[in-house]
mmCIF file of all heavy atoms in Angstrom:
data_model
loop_
_atom_site.group_PDB
_atom_site.id
_atom_site.type_symbol
_atom_site.label_atom_id
_atom_site.label_comp_id
_atom_site.label_asym_id
_atom_site.label_seq_id
_atom_site.Cartn_x
_atom_site.Cartn_y
_atom_site.Cartn_z
ATOM 1 N N SER A 123 -3.212 70.148 -20.447
ATOM 2 C CA SER A 123 -2.220 70.872 -21.147
ATOM 3 C C SER A 123 -2.105 72.334 -20.752
ATOM 4 O O SER A 123 -1.017 72.935 -20.649
ATOM 5 C CB SER A 123 -2.364 70.716 -22.661
ATOM 6 O OG SER A 123 -3.582 71.249 -23.063
ATOM 7 N N SER A 124 -3.291 72.881 -20.491
ATOM 8 C CA SER A 124 -3.335 74.315 -19.985
ATOM 9 C C SER A 124 -2.765 74.382 -18.532
ATOM 10 O O SER A 124 -2.099 75.350 -18.238
ATOM 11 C CB SER A 124 -4.734 74.891 -20.066
ATOM 12 O OG SER A 124 -5.225 74.942 -21.405
ATOM 13 N N TYR A 125 -3.116 73.412 -17.768
ATOM 14 C CA TYR A 125 -2.745 73.445 -16.315
ATOM 15 C C TYR A 125 -1.186 73.371 -16.198
ATOM 16 O O TYR A 125 -0.590 74.021 -15.398
ATOM 17 C CB TYR A 125 -3.356 72.260 -15.581
ATOM 18 C CG TYR A 125 -2.987 72.202 -14.183
ATOM 19 C CD1 TYR A 125 -3.609 72.965 -13.178
ATOM 20 C CD2 TYR A 125 -1.964 71.242 -13.728
ATOM 21 C CE1 TYR A 125 -3.222 72.934 -11.845
ATOM 22 C CE2 TYR A 125 -1.595 71.234 -12.401
ATOM 23 C CZ TYR A 125 -2.190 72.052 -11.485
ATOM 24 O OH TYR A 125 -1.822 71.961 -10.157
ATOM 25 N N ILE A 126 -0.580 72.518 -17.048
ATOM 26 C CA ILE A 126 0.910 72.307 -16.914
ATOM 27 C C ILE A 126 1.649 73.591 -17.393
ATOM 28 O O ILE A 126 2.802 73.819 -17.062
ATOM 29 C CB ILE A 126 1.401 71.072 -17.653
ATOM 30 C CG1 ILE A 126 1.056 71.194 -19.142
ATOM 31 C CG2 ILE A 126 0.806 69.843 -17.027
ATOM 32 C CD1 ILE A 126 1.610 70.050 -19.981
ATOM 33 N N GLN A 127 0.931 74.454 -18.164
ATOM 34 C CA GLN A 127 1.573 75.670 -18.635
ATOM 35 C C GLN A 127 1.372 76.845 -17.711
ATOM 36 O O GLN A 127 2.304 77.572 -17.383
ATOM 37 C CB GLN A 127 1.013 76.047 -20.037
ATOM 38 C CG GLN A 127 1.357 75.137 -21.116
ATOM 39 C CD GLN A 127 0.949 75.636 -22.501
ATOM 40 O OE1 GLN A 127 1.536 76.514 -23.072
ATOM 41 N NE2 GLN A 127 -0.191 75.108 -22.930
ATOM 42 N N VAL A 128 0.204 77.038 -17.169
ATOM 43 C CA VAL A 128 -0.139 78.223 -16.355
ATOM 44 C C VAL A 128 -0.591 77.939 -14.996
ATOM 45 O O VAL A 128 -0.798 78.786 -14.182
ATOM 46 C CB VAL A 128 -1.193 79.101 -17.074
ATOM 47 C CG1 VAL A 128 -0.721 79.543 -18.476
ATOM 48 C CG2 VAL A 128 -2.507 78.336 -17.212
ATOM 49 N N GLY A 129 -0.802 76.599 -14.659
ATOM 50 C CA GLY A 129 -1.293 76.257 -13.292
ATOM 51 C C GLY A 129 -2.802 76.596 -13.173
ATOM 52 O O GLY A 129 -3.454 76.913 -14.132
ATOM 53 N N PRO A 130 -3.280 76.534 -11.922
ATOM 54 C CA PRO A 130 -4.701 76.812 -11.691
ATOM 55 C C PRO A 130 -4.985 78.263 -11.916
ATOM 56 O O PRO A 130 -4.360 79.162 -11.306
ATOM 57 C CB PRO A 130 -4.894 76.372 -10.249
ATOM 58 C CG PRO A 130 -3.590 76.470 -9.603
ATOM 59 C CD PRO A 130 -2.622 76.096 -10.704
ATOM 60 N N LEU A 131 -5.909 78.627 -12.831
ATOM 61 C CA LEU A 131 -6.187 79.980 -13.152
ATOM 62 C C LEU A 131 -7.661 80.147 -13.573
ATOM 63 O O LEU A 131 -8.088 79.403 -14.440
ATOM 64 C CB LEU A 131 -5.256 80.487 -14.257
ATOM 65 C CG LEU A 131 -5.507 81.872 -14.812
ATOM 66 C CD1 LEU A 131 -5.314 82.962 -13.713
ATOM 67 C CD2 LEU A 131 -4.632 82.206 -15.966
ATOM 68 N N PHE A 132 -8.347 81.094 -12.978
ATOM 69 C CA PHE A 132 -9.711 81.435 -13.363
ATOM 70 C C PHE A 132 -9.753 82.932 -13.490
ATOM 71 O O PHE A 132 -9.638 83.682 -12.500
ATOM 72 C CB PHE A 132 -10.711 80.945 -12.313
ATOM 73 C CG PHE A 132 -12.158 81.337 -12.674
ATOM 74 C CD1 PHE A 132 -12.796 80.751 -13.781
ATOM 75 C CD2 PHE A 132 -12.847 82.299 -11.917
ATOM 76 C CE1 PHE A 132 -14.024 81.054 -14.102
ATOM 77 C CE2 PHE A 132 -14.116 82.601 -12.290
ATOM 78 C CZ PHE A 132 -14.750 81.965 -13.312
ATOM 79 N N ALA A 133 -9.865 83.400 -14.728
ATOM 80 C CA ALA A 133 -9.816 84.823 -15.017
ATOM 81 C C ALA A 133 -11.036 85.288 -15.807
ATOM 82 O O ALA A 133 -10.960 85.320 -17.080
ATOM 83 C CB ALA A 133 -8.508 85.133 -15.764
ATOM 84 N N PRO A 134 -12.162 85.615 -15.131
ATOM 85 C CA PRO A 134 -13.371 86.067 -15.883
ATOM 86 C C PRO A 134 -13.099 87.318 -16.685
ATOM 87 O O PRO A 134 -13.793 87.482 -17.717
ATOM 88 C CB PRO A 134 -14.336 86.280 -14.716
ATOM 89 C CG PRO A 134 -13.831 85.587 -13.571
ATOM 90 C CD PRO A 134 -12.353 85.574 -13.683
ATOM 91 N N GLU A 135 -12.143 88.132 -16.295
ATOM 92 C CA GLU A 135 -11.928 89.390 -17.010
ATOM 93 C C GLU A 135 -11.400 89.104 -18.406
ATOM 94 O O GLU A 135 -11.609 89.984 -19.285
ATOM 95 C CB GLU A 135 -10.879 90.211 -16.255
ATOM 96 C CG GLU A 135 -10.749 91.612 -16.735
ATOM 97 C CD GLU A 135 -9.865 92.498 -15.823
ATOM 98 O OE1 GLU A 135 -9.588 92.068 -14.713
ATOM 99 O OE2 GLU A 135 -9.410 93.587 -16.311
ATOM 100 N N ALA A 136 -10.809 87.932 -18.645
ATOM 101 C CA ALA A 136 -10.281 87.640 -19.981
ATOM 102 C C ALA A 136 -11.384 87.435 -20.975
ATOM 103 O O ALA A 136 -11.112 87.559 -22.216
ATOM 104 C CB ALA A 136 -9.366 86.423 -19.907
ATOM 105 N N ILE A 137 -12.624 87.060 -20.562
ATOM 106 C CA ILE A 137 -13.645 86.820 -21.512
ATOM 107 C C ILE A 137 -14.704 87.944 -21.557
ATOM 108 O O ILE A 137 -15.749 87.835 -22.127
ATOM 109 C CB ILE A 137 -14.383 85.534 -21.166
ATOM 110 C CG1 ILE A 137 -14.947 85.536 -19.781
ATOM 111 C CG2 ILE A 137 -13.446 84.358 -21.377
ATOM 112 C CD1 ILE A 137 -15.766 84.294 -19.392
ATOM 113 N N LYS A 138 -14.367 89.064 -20.874
ATOM 114 C CA LYS A 138 -15.285 90.193 -20.899
ATOM 115 C C LYS A 138 -15.303 90.871 -22.279
ATOM 116 O O LYS A 138 -14.260 90.894 -22.996
ATOM 117 C CB LYS A 138 -14.872 91.260 -19.858
ATOM 118 C CG LYS A 138 -15.277 90.911 -18.448
ATOM 119 C CD LYS A 138 -14.871 92.003 -17.492
ATOM 120 C CE LYS A 138 -15.273 91.714 -16.056
ATOM 121 N NZ LYS A 138 -14.880 92.778 -15.135
#
Side-chain angles (χ1 to χ4, degrees):
S123 60
S124 296
Y125 179 82
I126 60 177
Q127 291 186 80
V128 301
L131 175 63
F132 179 69
E135 190 173 343
I137 59 175
K138 284 183 178 178

